[in-house]
Each structure stands twice: as C-alpha cells, then as structure tokens.
C-alpha cells in the first residue's frame, strides 16, 4: 500500500500492517494528475484541497485521456 509518513516521505507498507502504521500518523497516498498533465501522489488529507482549488484530478494521466 502506498503511504505518506508523518515526515512527508512516500513509501509502501504491507496492507496487513496498515492499522499499526495509521496509528503513527501515516496517511494513504492517492494517485493524482496535475493540471499540466503530469502524474504524482498526494497524501489523502491533501487531495480534497488540490482537486477543488488547484485543478488536480484523481488517477494517473493515462486514465484521464
């Protein structure tokens, strides 16, 4: 599972251990596409702001076409 650590770095954790990691401030990473068409990742708690206010869309660029 793709996650962001409390320090803001992206990484992966096993799904089976997600409950333990979430207790320590880890957040799910969500795949997004910027207005310029480049793909990337955002922490789940930032996605709403970026999609509403900055023109980002959910999913990788190849799904946006």
């Amino acid at each position: 599972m793709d996650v962001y650590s409390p320090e803001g770095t992206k990484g992966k954790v096993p799904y089976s251990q997600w409950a333990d990691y979430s207790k320590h401030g880890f957040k799910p990473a969500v795949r997004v596409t910027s207005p310029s068409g480049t793909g990337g990742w955002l922490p789940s708690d930032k996605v709403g702001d970026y999609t509403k206010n900055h023109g980002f869309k959910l999913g990788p660029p190849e799904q946006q076409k």
Side-chain angles (χ1 to χ4, degrees):
M1 154 170 212
D2 293 296
V3 299
Y4 270 95
S5 73
E7 295 82 29
T9 56
K10 186 181 167 298
K12 290 188 176 279
V13 299
Y15 280 103
S16 61
Q17 296 175 11
W18 169 240
D20 292 332
Y21 278 91
S22 66
K23 291 175 189 172
H24 295 286
F26 283 73
K27 303 205 178 326
V30 180
R31 186 78 189 241
V32 295
T33 299
S34 73
S36 63
T38 58
W41 296 87
L42 288 171
S44 61
D45 61 339
K46 305 275 187 212
V47 170
D49 177 54
Y50 277 80
T51 57
K52 288 178 192 167
N53 301 320
H54 302 289
F56 281 66
K57 295 183 176 152
L58 297 177
E62 58 272 11
Q63 292 180 350
Q64 304 291 327
K65 294 179 182 178

